[in-house]
Amino acid sequence: MRRILLFLAMVCLLSSCSGREPESRYPVTAAAFDFADGSLRLTLELMISADGGGKSDMTPTCFVGRGDSFSSAMVDAAQSVGRDITFDHMAIAILGEGLEGSSLADAISFCAEIEGVTPALELVCAEDGGRLLTEAVKGGSALAYEITAALNSKASSAYTDGCRLADVSDRRLKELLWAIPKLALEAESKDQQQVKRVGLTIYTGDRILETLTGEQSLIWRMLEGYSVSGNVRFGETDFELAGARLADGHLTVTLRSGDAVMAGEAIARMRQQLTASKPSLFSTEALNEIDIEVVQSLW
């Protein structure tokens, strides 16, 4: 009976049971999922306009709800909005590091099942997702769109491609390790903070396994079969990758620019260090037998 009542409450809040048209609902652009102070906490970033204002007058505002599931936390948060909400424009889900086991599974299930959320939803993590979202919103711009633009940039795509809901769900279904970018607020000046990618957090099932930074993130992704392309740096040298493919113990890395020999040496060196120091980070067996070839793209 409790589940039925909760479902009906969600329908009323999300499906315009008040009779309002879809255009009159406030769009959720980002959501942060945390376990804090003994309960689940859901922070929603909504675009809110003043009475009578148009889309150009919308500003991001955060609402927080708590509950014993993220569905009930969403109902709690939505009650504070005073208007119907829609998830059709949700672009980012931030998983807090306090989530583990059933709470982490609940967050991902919520994203997969809520009406309006698409498989292209980007997943990221942070030490405290709600704090990251609310602090960033104080700057007056929607964090969701800033993050998605950064994740899809040429400078980040090699490290972040494969963090969409569809990709994460697929790897979890196959019982593979999965990973998403870790974000943090860093001071740009005395009065300004900037959200930045600070690493790659690797999960096994419903718990965090490790967080990697820099070159190690890139090598791990190559050896776990992720799509890797974009601008990267090994040491003090920049390269532009067209792709990396692992098959039958052979890793083929294709460069668009940069010294192929130098890149091959850097990748081999980092691969050896990473697999020797952290073998538990890999689904692939017999990593010591992998050989590496770096080729130059003709295009």
Side-chain angles (χ1 to χ4, degrees):
M1 178 59 71
R2 182 178 177 279
R3 288 180 176 270
I4 294 173
L5 292 174
L6 179 59
F7 174 76
L8 291 175
M10 291 175 64
V11 170
C12 288
L13 288 164
L14 300 178
S15 301
S16 191
C17 66
S18 62
R20 293 188 179 98
E21 293 299 319
E23 291 77 8
S24 71
R25 302 184 221 165
Y26 285 142
V28 175
T29 50
F33 302 82
D34 295 283
F35 181 80
D37 302 322
S39 66
L40 298 179
R41 185 184 71 204
L42 176 65
T43 306
L44 301 178
E45 177 189 82
L46 275 70
M47 298 302 292
I48 304 292
S49 63
D51 290 342
K55 291 183 178 180
S56 60
D57 299 318
M58 284 186 158
T59 56
T61 307
C62 285
F63 294 86
V64 180
R66 291 182 178 274
D68 57 6
S69 70
F70 284 114
S71 295
S72 60
M74 188 272 294
V75 172
D76 184 40
Q79 287 175 341
S80 303
V81 179
R83 191 166 173 175
D84 296 337
I85 63 177
T86 174
F87 287 80
D88 293 351
H89 298 280
M90 183 169 157
I92 286 288
I94 307 171
L95 305 180
E97 289 187 340
L99 298 176
E100 188 170 276
S102 60
S103 61
L104 178 58
D106 185 27
I108 295 174
S109 295
F110 178 93
C111 293
E113 295 169 4
I114 196 72
E115 182 179 358
V117 174
T118 74
L121 175 75
E122 305 270 11
L123 298 183
V124 296
C125 73
E127 183 176 347
D128 185 326
R131 179 180 175 275
L132 179 79
L133 196 54
T134 53
E135 289 294 318
V137 162
K138 290 178 181 178
S141 58
L143 179 65
Y145 301 136
E146 291 183 5
I147 293 177
T148 50
L151 293 181
N152 295 319
S153 69
K154 203 170 185 179
S156 290
S157 59
Y159 301 88
T160 60
D161 189 41
C163 67
R164 296 175 180 85
L165 177 60
D167 302 317
V168 169
S169 299
D170 181 62
R171 291 187 71 90
R172 284 168 59 85
L173 183 65
K174 295 176 180 177
E175 298 184 346
L176 297 174
L177 302 182
W178 55 282
I180 54 179
K182 180 177 180 179
L183 307 181
L185 279 170
E186 294 187 356
E188 286 287 293
S189 63
K190 182 179 179 181
D191 302 315
Q192 185 178 10
Q193 296 186 97
Q194 181 72 34
V195 176
K196 294 188 177 180
R197 174 174 52 82
V198 295
L200 182 75
T201 298
I202 302 169
Y203 295 77
T204 176
D206 296 326
R207 68 180 179 88
I208 292 176
L209 189 60
E210 183 80 48
T211 296
L212 299 177
T213 59
E215 298 169 0
Q216 289 187 337
S217 300
L218 188 63
I219 299 302
W220 182 87
R221 284 168 51 80
M222 287 180 179
L223 296 180
E224 282 294 303
Y226 277 86
S227 173
V228 178
S229 64
N231 296 336
V232 301
R233 168 169 286 203
F234 290 115
E236 299 300 318
T237 306
D238 295 318
F239 301 91
E240 183 180 353
L241 297 183
R245 181 173 181 270
L246 179 65
D248 300 324
H250 186 83
L251 175 65
T252 303
V253 181
T254 306
L255 295 185
R256 283 200 180 95
S257 65
D259 187 311
V261 173
M262 186 181 298
E265 293 173 349
I267 293 170
R269 184 168 57 251
M270 182 55 63
R271 191 270 302 177
Q272 186 176 20
Q273 293 174 4
L274 184 59
T275 55
S277 62
K278 298 175 179 175
S280 63
L281 293 185
F282 298 91
S283 303
T284 309
E285 296 180 357
L287 285 170
N288 291 329
E289 298 178 9
I290 290 177
D291 62 292
I292 299 169
E293 177 187 15
V294 180
V295 297
Q296 199 78 34
S297 172
L298 298 177
W299 305 100

